[in-house]
Amino acid sequence: MKKSGVIAIDGPAGSGKSTVAKEVAHRLGFLYIDTGAMYRALTLKAINKGMDFSDNEALVELSKNTDIELKESGDSLKVYLDKKDVSHKIRSMEVTTKVKLLASLKDVRENMVKLQRKLGSLSSGAVLEGRDIGTVVFPNAAYKFYLDASFQTRVERRFRELKEKGFSISPEEIEADVRNRDASDMTRKVAPLKKAEDAKVIDTTNMTVEEVAGKILEIVKKWHTSFLALF
Ligand code: CDP
């Protein structure tokens, strides 16, 4: 299968995917695509509309009729839902706890994956991060990474991150959320979170963002060099 110009980064909550993916994309001049933000935006829309989260058909219909855009703005990524900036709102705890209800629906995922593939193919190089990038969205990605870290480290990172964003959530709530999401993301029937066979695992527990990004870039460059050496 022909390789695409995609770097796939998967892993559980708090493994450092977003920050690292953003940094790697920035250093390579690639497009950065946060696929979790798309599932979050859709979930926010369902909440705003007061939808019944057990009505799968209505949720699938919603995913067909929703406009989600990602735009890089300086150091941050802006998320637009039907043309409105929802970058902050999609990080709320309500969205975080409900997102799994949408993310476990096969037809919702199909619509999201279509959009992700379109975005990832538009640019000559893209870094996509999520749960199923290396396994489902871009199985032919040029490079695949699976980031992980100890449970405690991941909880601490989420806590710091949400505090910095101005959300007041207790460490206990974060711990429960990370535990529940790990469980539902890893055990759902459709596109569960798992390491792609050919992904390189990086344990980020004792690493800084710069170290992880540096390691990824080193591998990407090494593979590039050996690939070019064939000619
Ligand atoms: O912020 P955090 O890294 O914890 O999560 P996220 O990347 O924003 O994703 C939020 C949720 O969306 C995940 O817990 C998954 O349930 C779902 N998701 C998914 O199913 N597939 C993806 N490719 C990305 C996210």
Coordinates of all heavy atoms in Angstrom, one line a residue, residues 10-15 17-18 34-37 39-40 91 96 99-100 103-104 109 116 129-133 137 158 161 177 181 184-185 188 191, ligand 1:
D10 N -1.2 8.1 18.3 CA -2.4 7.6 19.1 C -1.9 7.5 20.6 O -0.7 7.4 20.9 CB -2.9 6.3 18.6 CG -3.6 6.5 17.2 OD1 -4.6 7.3 17.2 OD2 -3.1 5.9 16.2
G11 N -2.9 7.4 21.5 CA -2.6 7.1 22.9 C -3.8 7.5 23.7 O -4.7 8.2 23.3
P12 N -3.7 7.1 25.0 CA -4.8 7.5 26.0 C -4.7 8.9 26.4 O -3.7 9.6 26.2 CB -4.6 6.5 27.1 CG -3.1 6.3 27.1 CD -2.7 6.3 25.7
A13 N -5.8 9.4 27.2 CA -5.8 10.7 27.7 C -4.6 11.0 28.6 O -4.2 10.2 29.4 CB -7.1 10.9 28.5
G14 N -4.0 12.2 28.4 CA -2.9 12.6 29.2 C -1.5 12.0 28.9 O -0.6 12.1 29.6
S15 N -1.5 11.3 27.7 CA -0.2 10.6 27.3 C 0.7 11.7 26.7 O 1.8 11.4 26.4 CB -0.5 9.5 26.4 OG -1.2 9.9 25.2
K17 N -0.2 13.4 23.8 CA -0.4 13.5 22.3 C -0.5 14.9 21.7 O 0.2 15.2 20.8 CB -1.7 12.7 21.9 CG -1.6 11.3 22.0 CD -3.0 10.7 21.6 CE -4.2 11.4 22.1 NZ -4.9 11.3 23.3
S18 N -1.4 15.6 22.3 CA -1.8 16.9 21.7 C -0.6 17.9 21.6 O -0.2 18.4 20.6 CB -2.9 17.6 22.4 OG -4.0 16.8 22.5
D34 N -6.3 17.6 15.3 CA -6.7 17.0 16.6 C -8.0 16.4 16.4 O -9.1 17.1 16.4 CB -6.7 18.2 17.6 CG -7.3 17.8 19.0 OD1 -7.7 16.6 19.1 OD2 -7.3 18.6 19.9
T35 N -8.0 15.1 16.2 CA -9.3 14.4 15.9 C -10.2 14.3 17.1 O -11.5 14.3 17.0 CB -9.1 13.0 15.3 OG1 -8.4 12.2 16.3 CG2 -8.2 13.0 14.1
G36 N -9.7 14.3 18.3 CA -10.5 14.3 19.5 C -11.4 15.6 19.6 O -12.5 15.6 20.0
A37 N -10.8 16.7 19.1 CA -11.5 18.0 19.1 C -12.8 17.9 18.2 O -13.8 18.5 18.5 CB -10.6 19.1 18.6
Y39 N -14.7 15.1 17.7 CA -15.7 14.3 18.5 C -16.2 15.2 19.6 O -17.4 15.2 19.9 CB -15.1 13.0 19.1 CG -14.8 12.0 18.0 CD1 -13.5 11.8 17.5 CD2 -15.8 11.2 17.5 CE1 -13.3 10.9 16.5 CE2 -15.6 10.2 16.5 CZ -14.3 10.1 16.0 OH -14.1 9.2 15.0
R40 N -15.4 16.0 20.2 CA -15.8 16.9 21.3 C -16.8 18.0 20.7 O -17.8 18.3 21.3 CB -14.6 17.6 21.9 CG -13.8 16.7 22.8 CD -12.5 17.4 23.3 NE -11.8 16.6 24.2 CZ -12.0 16.6 25.5 NH1 -12.9 17.4 26.1 NH2 -11.3 15.8 26.3
R91 N -13.7 21.7 25.9 CA -12.8 21.1 27.0 C -13.6 20.9 28.3 O -13.0 20.5 29.3 CB -11.6 22.0 27.2 CG -10.8 22.2 26.0 CD -10.1 21.0 25.4 NE -9.7 21.2 24.0 CZ -9.4 20.2 23.2 NH1 -9.3 18.9 23.7 NH2 -9.1 20.4 22.0
T96 N -16.5 16.2 28.0 CA -15.5 15.1 28.2 C -16.2 13.8 28.7 O -15.9 12.8 28.2 CB -14.5 15.5 29.3 OG1 -13.9 16.8 28.8 CG2 -13.4 14.5 29.4
V99 N -18.6 12.5 25.5 CA -18.1 12.3 24.2 C -18.1 10.8 23.8 O -18.3 10.4 22.7 CB -16.7 12.9 24.1 CG1 -15.6 12.3 24.9 CG2 -16.2 13.0 22.6
K100 N -17.9 9.9 24.8 CA -17.8 8.5 24.5 C -19.1 8.0 23.9 O -19.1 7.0 23.2 CB -17.4 7.7 25.8 CG -18.4 7.7 26.9 CD -18.0 6.7 28.0 CE -18.9 6.7 29.1 NZ -18.7 7.8 30.0
A103 N -18.7 8.8 20.4 CA -17.5 8.2 19.8 C -17.6 6.7 19.6 O -16.8 6.0 19.0 CB -16.3 8.6 20.6
S104 N -18.6 6.1 20.3 CA -18.7 4.6 20.2 C -19.7 4.2 19.1 O -19.9 3.0 18.8 CB -19.2 4.0 21.5 OG -20.3 4.6 21.9
R109 N -18.6 7.6 13.6 CA -17.2 7.6 13.4 C -16.9 7.6 11.9 O -16.0 8.2 11.5 CB -16.6 6.3 14.0 CG -16.7 6.2 15.5 CD -15.8 5.2 16.1 NE -14.4 5.6 16.0 CZ -13.8 6.4 16.9 NH1 -14.4 6.8 18.0 NH2 -12.5 6.8 16.7
Q116 N -11.6 13.4 8.5 CA -10.2 13.4 8.9 C -9.3 13.0 7.7 O -8.3 13.5 7.5 CB -10.1 12.4 10.1 CG -10.7 12.9 11.3 CD -11.1 11.9 12.3 OE1 -10.7 10.7 12.2 NE2 -11.8 12.2 13.4
E129 N -3.6 13.3 15.5 CA -3.6 12.6 16.8 C -5.0 12.2 17.2 O -5.9 12.9 16.9 CB -2.8 13.4 17.8 CG -3.4 14.8 18.0 CD -4.1 15.0 19.3 OE1 -4.4 14.0 20.0 OE2 -4.2 16.2 19.7
G130 N -5.0 11.0 17.9 CA -6.3 10.5 18.3 C -6.2 9.2 19.0 O -5.3 8.9 19.7
R131 N -7.2 8.3 18.7 CA -7.2 7.0 19.3 C -7.1 5.9 18.2 O -6.7 4.8 18.5 CB -8.6 6.8 20.0 CG -8.9 7.8 21.1 CD -8.0 7.6 22.3 NE -8.3 8.4 23.5 CZ -8.2 9.7 23.7 NH1 -7.7 10.4 22.7 NH2 -8.5 10.2 24.8
D132 N -7.5 6.2 17.0 CA -7.6 5.2 15.9 C -6.9 5.6 14.6 O -7.2 5.2 13.6 CB -9.0 4.9 15.6 CG -9.8 6.1 15.1 OD1 -9.3 7.3 15.4 OD2 -10.9 6.0 14.5
I133 N -5.9 6.6 14.7 CA -5.3 7.1 13.5 C -4.5 6.0 12.8 O -4.7 5.8 11.6 CB -4.5 8.4 13.8 CG1 -5.3 9.4 14.7 CG2 -4.0 9.0 12.5 CD1 -6.5 9.9 14.1
V137 N -7.9 5.3 10.6 CA -8.0 6.5 9.8 C -6.9 6.5 8.7 O -7.2 6.7 7.5 CB -8.0 7.8 10.6 CG1 -8.2 9.0 9.7 CG2 -9.0 7.8 11.7
R158 N -3.5 16.1 33.1 CA -4.8 16.5 32.8 C -5.2 17.6 33.8 O -5.9 18.6 33.4 CB -5.9 15.4 32.9 CG -5.7 14.3 31.9 CD -5.9 14.6 30.5 NE -7.2 15.3 30.4 CZ -7.7 15.7 29.2 NH1 -7.0 15.6 28.2 NH2 -8.9 16.3 29.2
E161 N -3.4 20.8 33.1 CA -3.9 21.4 31.8 C -5.2 22.1 32.0 O -5.4 23.2 31.5 CB -4.0 20.2 30.8 CG -4.4 20.6 29.4 CD -4.7 19.3 28.6 OE1 -4.1 18.2 28.9 OE2 -5.7 19.3 27.8
D177 N -12.5 10.4 35.6 CA -12.7 10.6 34.1 C -11.7 9.8 33.3 O -12.0 9.1 32.4 CB -12.6 12.1 33.8 CG -12.5 12.3 32.3 OD1 -13.4 11.8 31.5 OD2 -11.4 12.8 31.8
R181 N -12.6 6.8 30.8 CA -12.4 7.0 29.4 C -11.4 5.9 28.8 O -11.6 5.4 27.8 CB -12.0 8.4 29.0 CG -13.2 9.2 28.7 CD -13.0 10.6 28.2 NE -12.0 11.3 28.8 CZ -11.0 11.9 28.2 NH1 -11.0 11.9 26.9 NH2 -10.1 12.6 28.8
S184 N -13.6 2.9 28.4 CA -14.5 2.8 27.3 C -13.8 3.0 25.9 O -14.2 2.3 25.0 CB -15.6 3.9 27.4 OG -15.1 5.2 27.3
D185 N -12.7 3.7 25.9 CA -12.0 3.9 24.6 C -11.3 2.6 24.2 O -11.2 2.2 23.0 CB -10.9 5.0 24.7 CG -11.5 6.4 24.7 OD1 -12.7 6.5 24.3 OD2 -10.8 7.3 25.1
R188 N -14.4 -0.4 23.5 CA -15.6 -0.3 22.6 C -15.4 -1.2 21.4 O -14.3 -1.5 21.0 CB -15.8 1.2 22.2 CG -14.7 1.7 21.3 CD -15.0 3.2 20.8 NE -13.8 3.7 20.2 CZ -13.2 4.8 20.4 NH1 -13.7 5.7 21.3 NH2 -12.2 5.2 19.7
A191 N -13.4 0.7 16.4 CA -12.2 1.4 16.5 C -11.7 1.7 17.9 O -11.5 2.8 18.3 CB -12.3 2.7 15.7
Ligands
CDP1 O1 -8.2 15.4 25.6 P1 -8.0 14.0 25.6 O2 -6.6 13.6 25.0 O3 -8.2 13.3 26.8 O4 -9.1 13.4 24.6 P2 -9.4 13.8 23.1 O5 -8.2 13.5 22.2 O6 -9.8 15.2 23.1 O7 -10.6 12.9 22.8 C1 -11.8 12.9 23.5 C2 -12.5 11.6 23.3 O8 -12.9 11.5 22.0 C3 -11.7 10.3 23.6 O9 -11.8 9.9 25.0 C4 -12.4 9.3 22.7 O10 -13.5 8.8 23.3 C5 -12.8 10.1 21.5 N1 -11.9 10.0 20.4 C6 -12.1 8.9 19.6 O11 -12.9 8.1 19.8 N2 -11.3 8.8 18.5 C7 -10.4 9.7 18.1 N3 -9.7 9.6 17.0 C8 -10.2 10.8 19.0 C9 -11.0 10.9 20.1

